[in-house]
Amino acid sequence: MSYKAAIIGGGIISRNHLDAIRQLPEMTAVAVADPDLSKGTTLAQEYAITPYTDYREMVLVEKPDIVVIAVPHYLHREIAVWCCSKGCHLLLEKPMALNVKECDEILEAAESAGITLLVGHTQHYLPANIQAKKLIQRGELGELIAIQDTRHLHYYKDDRPDWFFEKAKSGGGIMMNLGAHSIDKIQFITGSRVARIRAALSYYGSKGDVEGSGMVFLQTTDGLSATIVQSGYEGVSVDTTDLIFTQGMARLISGKGLWISRNGQYEQSPLEVQEDPFVLQFRDLLEGINSGQEPESSGAYARTVIAAIEAIYASDAQGGEQFLETI
Ligand SMILES: NC(=O)c1ccc[n+]([C@@H]2O[C@H](COP(=O)([O-])OP(=O)(O)OC[C@H]3O[C@@H](n4cnc5c(N)ncnc54)[C@H](O)[C@@H]3O)[C@@H](O)[C@H]2O)c1
């Protein structure tokens, strides 16, 4: 079966999805919808698809089997629920929605429509993360006792679209946007879920009303402790996750690979060659559609990421530890 796909939101990430679809013979991209016609027209020429300014018109005319939703976060719920009502399978970009309540509305709509929903948590498809997960599972470095995840990048750079700095549209700043990746990475590689969380945020950004840094201490359902430290102010870029075991350490450096220390020295671990993460993400969605099974990065899973982020904001506001319901 060949699946017709359409994209809602022709912004920065849309090209990753369109490039991935090109690599999948079982999928064909047919259209893109963006109220900014110039974005749609540029993509339409590049990928030989039809541009629309109204996503509803696009879905009604093109009748896609799969819709990719890649719009500002405050539109995720509204667009996802509407697309469910039209029977489209969904690849909904992360973070799933602004809060848990909105996630529940999407989950309900997906279930009553009987569609497959995958949320774009790309950490599940990065080769170094997959290798780190296997390392933990093999237990060859003993017990995993702590994870230290550190990310610094200049979040306030001029080319970031303005909606990212408006809490009402983005749901939050660096913790909502990139903290979602850190929570997902920790949950994915350990196979556990965030159970309790304490956080402190700062708001010194040059624009908007979102937090520009965050420091989080969390424990997972397996009793593992982890910290997440993120700063979006100017500085030196870092994207590193240290895994501390009883008999060694491992270091994930995003986009570069995995280093393992067995006797006091780090050695780079060769990674398995695999397809582009965005291709693998679509493969998971297609498998979910064909099998009727939930994909790994399902809506229910993605809701756990939003619950953890919600707990980060609540902990910062109230000054105490937050306990999460775990599934
Ligand atoms: N998986 C990843 O690693 C990753 C990376 C970047 C972004 N993202 C996520 O992808 C999503 C989009 O981010 P982006 O960086 O591409 O943002 P962007 O601002 O570049 O793109 C969003 C696009 O949505 C369009 N849009 C606004 N309202 C719309 C509507 N009603 N209908 C259709 N289009 C509409 C905007 O005009 C814009 O072109 C976000 O959820 C973001 O967090 C994920």
Side-chain angles (χ1 to χ4, degrees), residues 138-283:
R138 285 199 302 273
E140 65 189 54
L141 296 180
E143 279 297 309
L144 177 64
I145 52 157
I147 295 182
Q148 199 177 350
D149 181 79
T150 312
R151 183 142 194 203
H152 302 304
L153 90 172
H154 188 209
Y155 197 72
Y156 294 89
K157 61 188 175 146
D158 291 341
D159 58 358
R160 182 175 294 286
D162 286 342
W163 64 266
F164 278 103
F165 304 106
E166 279 180 62
K167 179 133 177 130
K169 291 187 174 170
S170 57
I174 192 163
M175 296 309 300
M176 181 72 176
N177 191 24
L178 306 179
H181 286 306
S182 295
I183 302 249
D184 176 38
K185 188 191 295 183
I186 292 167
Q187 294 201 141
F188 170 65
I189 64 175
T190 63
S192 59
R193 300 287 174 264
V194 176
R196 48 204 285 183
I197 218 161
R198 188 174 174 120
L201 309 175
S202 85
Y203 291 82
Y204 294 110
S206 53
K207 49 187 159 181
D209 60 353
V210 297
E211 80 287 355
S213 79
M215 180 134 190
V216 174
F217 175 72
L218 64 85
Q219 283 176 300
T220 69
T221 43
D222 291 344
L224 176 79
S225 299
T227 56
I228 300 171
V229 180
Q230 299 200 332
S231 162
Y233 308 125
E234 282 189 61
V236 178
S237 293
V238 180
D239 192 353
T240 302
T241 309
D242 284 311
L243 312 180
I244 303 162
F245 297 82
T246 50
Q247 292 157 34
M249 294 167 82
R251 173 167 288 180
L252 275 165
I253 304 181
S254 204
K256 299 213 167 108
L258 175 70
W259 280 256
I260 300 177
S261 99
R262 293 190 173 84
N263 45 22
Q265 299 285 330
Y266 270 129
E267 272 177 35
Q268 190 165 8
S269 172
L271 298 181
E272 283 168 29
V273 177
Q274 62 168 53
E275 288 178 293
D276 177 81
F278 286 84
V279 172
L280 293 175
Q281 193 165 256
F282 277 121
R283 288 205 188 283

Side-chain angles (χ1 to χ4, degrees), residues 8-9 11-13 33-35 39 73 75-76 93-94 122 161 163:
I8 302 180
I12 295 164
I13 204 67
D34 198 302
K39 287 189 182 176
H73 304 157
L75 295 168
H76 285 198
E93 261 302 347
K94 55 56 62 179
T122 37
W163 64 266

